[in-house]
Amino acid sequence: MDRMYEEMINRKELRCAEGYLEKSAEGELLFCGHNARELAEEYGTPLMAFSESRLKENYRRMRSAFEKCYPKIQICFACKSNHLLGVISVLKGEGAYADVVSGGEFYKAEKAGTDPEHIVMNGNNKSDAEILMGIRKGAMINVDSLSELERVASAAESEGKKARICIRVNPDVTADSIAEFLTGLKKSKFGVDMDNGDALRAFRRARDASCLAVEGIHCHIGSQIENREFYRQAVEKVMDFCGTLKRELGLELSCVNMGGGFAIPFEYLDQVDRAEDFAELVTGVIKKKICEHGLKPPVLMIEPGGSLVGNTAVTLCRVGRIKQKEEKRLAALDAGGDLLLRATQGWYTYRAVCANKLGEAGDMLYDLVGPLCYEGDIPARDRMLPELEEGDLIAFLDTGAYVTTLMNQYNGRLLPAVLMITEEGGVKVIRRRDSYEDLIRNEMV
Ligand SMILES: Cc1ncc(COP(=O)(O)O)c(C=O)c1O
């Protein structure tokens, strides 16, 4: 297995960030000014803590990066990356719309205060109930296939209400990410094929259906894309296609949604592109193509998830049993794949630090293993850390994305408490720790 990111982490000193991650005079980790050890003592472990200031900062940075280049921008937060009410509501407060992929995410986005007309419904297999929900509430439905288009049309007709739709196209492009995250390849399960004429057929059908309001086109090529260049071909293809729609169908779209996928700028990454880089490339192509095809400037929608919330949180775990193996030590933590699933899958690599020994040199090789009953339950491999003892506190950094939405009760583990450190520096519990009762809440004998 490629250990590139682990090597980067071991080579590099932790990069602190004022007001977010700092080292106290005693060599302990401070998160938003709070001592991580004290938070763990007060609220127990495993524990997650988010920074409200960072969430707002990330959103504002993304918005202004795009707005500077192209004023007609709308950010839809991808709730799949984090659907805690306490997180969605902060971003909603900043002006974010919500990208949802199920009735459940729709429900949570609304509960967090999102206007249903500001909800964009994605997904390759929406149920009839979800389609109806979207139509009734006036949400934007990103239609994923020709057959779904028919479903939406007949539901809208029987409701007597126009459905607002975008059509998701598949541009057949790759990106610098893992196979599991690539969604823009021809073989992908998402979107309508552009190259075989299906996309044009879908837009023609939609244009002619009186119960459909065709607002735009949608495309999402993948996740954790570190290099902006991979967006170039997708945006070009989508915008050229907008030109074709105008010429051949007389259809001018008011919205172009280029999805999300901008990489989480993990603290140890040097080469990763940031919001400004993605904004410059995407809007550059859009502006050029608007001129080329004589289009009215559409609203540019984007659906960032990881890049907004990834580097806004830490996950704190307690060290338990330690074993010496031939080549390295194994330190067992009180969370593994139940919380940090993408790390145990090898999809994300998080830096892990010993929160109460930040001042000590990392001169011993460790695997940080979880408590679950399978061998792959290893959220961090081959890490140079100071000598660990039972009771030490490990902090995984930049864990704000795809943790709270993927956490699970395997082996009867209780889902953790989650804190929001407010802008004023207060500590708010935004998710209480599960109890044993929660494990059986919906079960009957
Ligand atoms: C349609 C769509 N939009 C947006 C996203 C968010 O991606 P990311 O969190 O990488 O920004 C995803 C992720 O799977 C997606 O499928």
Side-chain angles (χ1 to χ4, degrees):
M1 217 183 183
D2 192 356
R3 291 262 169 272
M4 181 178 74
Y5 293 125
E6 284 80 352
E7 282 168 22
M8 269 187 207
I9 290 170
N10 284 340
R11 265 202 316 271
K12 271 191 210 131
E13 286 282 306
L14 168 68
R15 220 180 316 202
C16 288
E18 207 186 324
Y20 179 65
L21 277 184
E22 289 164 298
K23 185 162 92 176
S24 75
E26 295 74 34
E28 295 190 299
L29 182 71
L30 302 178
F31 181 71
C32 303
H34 290 263
N35 186 312
R37 178 182 49 76
E38 288 169 9
L39 289 176
E41 278 164 10
E42 182 164 355
Y43 296 96
T45 58
L47 179 71
M48 291 193 75
F50 281 82
S51 160
E52 184 181 18
S53 305
R54 250 302 165 92
L55 277 169
K56 292 186 174 179
E57 238 171 69
N58 283 354
Y59 183 87
R60 289 173 190 174
R61 180 174 174 169
M62 181 79 70
R63 189 183 57 201
S64 82
F66 276 84
E67 230 166 31
K68 237 184 257 164
C69 311
Y70 190 83
K72 292 177 83 173
I73 173 77
Q74 183 57 55
I75 299 178
C76 300
F77 170 55
C79 296
K80 58 186 80 64
S81 65
N82 191 319
H83 53 46
L84 289 173
L85 300 181
V87 168
I88 301 176
S89 60
V90 169
L91 294 171
K92 187 256 154 198
E94 293 293 302
Y97 286 17
D99 148 32
V100 307
V101 192
S102 68
E105 281 186 0
F106 199 119
Y107 176 79
K108 291 194 82 173
E110 255 197 298
K111 280 276 172 203
T114 313
D115 178 341
E117 292 185 8
H118 294 171
I119 292 180
V120 171
M121 298 177 78
N122 276 302
N124 62 313
N125 191 23
K126 301 171 194 77
S127 69
D128 289 347
E130 287 167 339
I131 289 171
L132 262 185
M133 186 177 188
I135 294 170
R136 285 182 183 154
K137 290 184 179 259
M140 167 81 83
I141 302 177
N142 282 346
V143 174
D144 191 80
S145 59
L146 282 159
S147 53
E148 187 175 272
L149 187 63
E150 295 309 323
R151 285 286 205 189
V152 175
S154 65
E157 209 165 285
S158 60
E159 275 298 294
K161 185 163 187 230
K162 267 199 176 193
R164 297 173 55 218
I165 65 159
C166 275
I167 295 178
R168 178 170 181 168
V169 292
N170 181 317
D172 193 23
V173 300
T174 191
D176 58 343
S177 192
I178 57 172
E180 291 84 348
F181 288 174
L182 297 179
T183 53
L185 294 165
K186 198 184 281 289
K187 65 179 181 189
S188 159
K189 66 175 179 169
F190 298 104
V192 184
D193 199 318
M194 297 183 88
D195 297 335
N196 70 358
D198 277 356
L200 194 60
R201 267 187 284 281
F203 275 95
R204 181 177 287 114
R205 165 75 179 108
R207 179 201 60 181
D208 295 341
S210 59
C211 52
L212 299 178
V214 194
E215 296 191 10
I217 186 165
H218 176 262
C219 175
H220 169 76
I221 61 171
S223 253
Q224 198 53 24
I225 298 168
E226 294 181 12
N227 182 338
R228 63 188 175 280
E229 274 304 319
F230 287 96
Y231 284 87
R232 185 180 299 281
Q233 207 191 343
V235 187
E236 281 175 354
K237 256 185 124 162
V238 165
M239 292 305 293
D240 284 339
F241 187 71
C242 289
T244 304
L245 289 177
K246 182 176 175 182
R247 276 192 312 277
E248 297 196 14
L249 304 186
L251 196 56
E252 278 240 43
L253 302 178
S254 58
C255 167
V256 169
N257 184 336
M258 286 309 303
F262 316 135
I264 299 169
F266 287 113
E267 159 276 339
Y268 57 83
L269 290 177
D270 279 333
Q271 301 296 325
V272 66
D273 279 338
R274 303 296 301 256
E276 296 74 15
D277 306 306
F278 292 109
E280 192 190 5
L281 185 135
V282 171
T283 61
V285 176
I286 287 184
K287 285 187 284 193
K288 180 166 159 263
K289 294 289 177 185
I290 285 173
C291 290
E292 227 173 279
H293 298 294
L295 300 168
K296 285 193 211 109
V299 170
L300 170 61
M301 275 200 183
I302 49 170
E303 297 170 340
S307 54
L308 289 182
V309 294
N311 64 355
T312 66
V314 293
T315 298
L316 305 175
C317 302
R318 191 69 71 189
V319 175
R321 307 293 94 77
I322 295 173
K323 288 181 181 164
Q324 178 69 52
K325 295 284 175 176
E326 257 173 33
E327 75 283 21
K328 57 184 156 187
R329 287 188 182 185
L330 309 185
L333 308 178
D334 54 5
D338 50 334
L339 267 192
L340 304 168
L341 189 66
R342 286 202 163 181
T344 58
Q345 292 290 104
W347 293 1
Y348 280 172
T349 306
Y350 299 119
R351 186 193 283 270
V353 297
C354 183
N356 53 306
K357 291 180 178 171
L358 271 192
E360 296 182 25
D363 48 14
M364 296 190 83
L365 188 64
Y366 281 91
D367 275 357
L368 300 175
V369 304
L372 308 181
C373 284
Y374 61 97
E375 198 51 37
D377 180 34
I378 306 175
R381 294 174 191 264
D382 295 327
R383 303 307 173 85
M384 297 303 292
L385 291 164
E387 181 165 8
L388 297 176
E389 301 155 277
E390 286 195 19
D392 279 341
L393 188 68
I394 295 292
F396 289 90
L397 310 185
D398 299 335
T399 54
Y402 301 99
V403 171
T404 61
T405 44
L406 284 168
M407 58 195 184
N408 60 82
Q409 297 171 331
Y410 183 60
N411 285 166
R413 307 293 303 180
L414 301 181
L415 303 185
V418 182
L419 310 177
M420 178 69 73
I421 312 298
T422 65
E423 267 184 310
E424 298 74 33
V427 180
K428 202 158 88 178
V429 178
I430 57 168
R431 186 188 192 285
R432 63 165 176 74
R433 188 177 301 287
D434 276 7
S435 65
Y436 287 136
E437 270 297 306
D438 290 316
L439 289 177
I440 57 166
R441 205 173 3 166
N442 293 324
E443 294 188 29
M444 281 139 287
V445 279

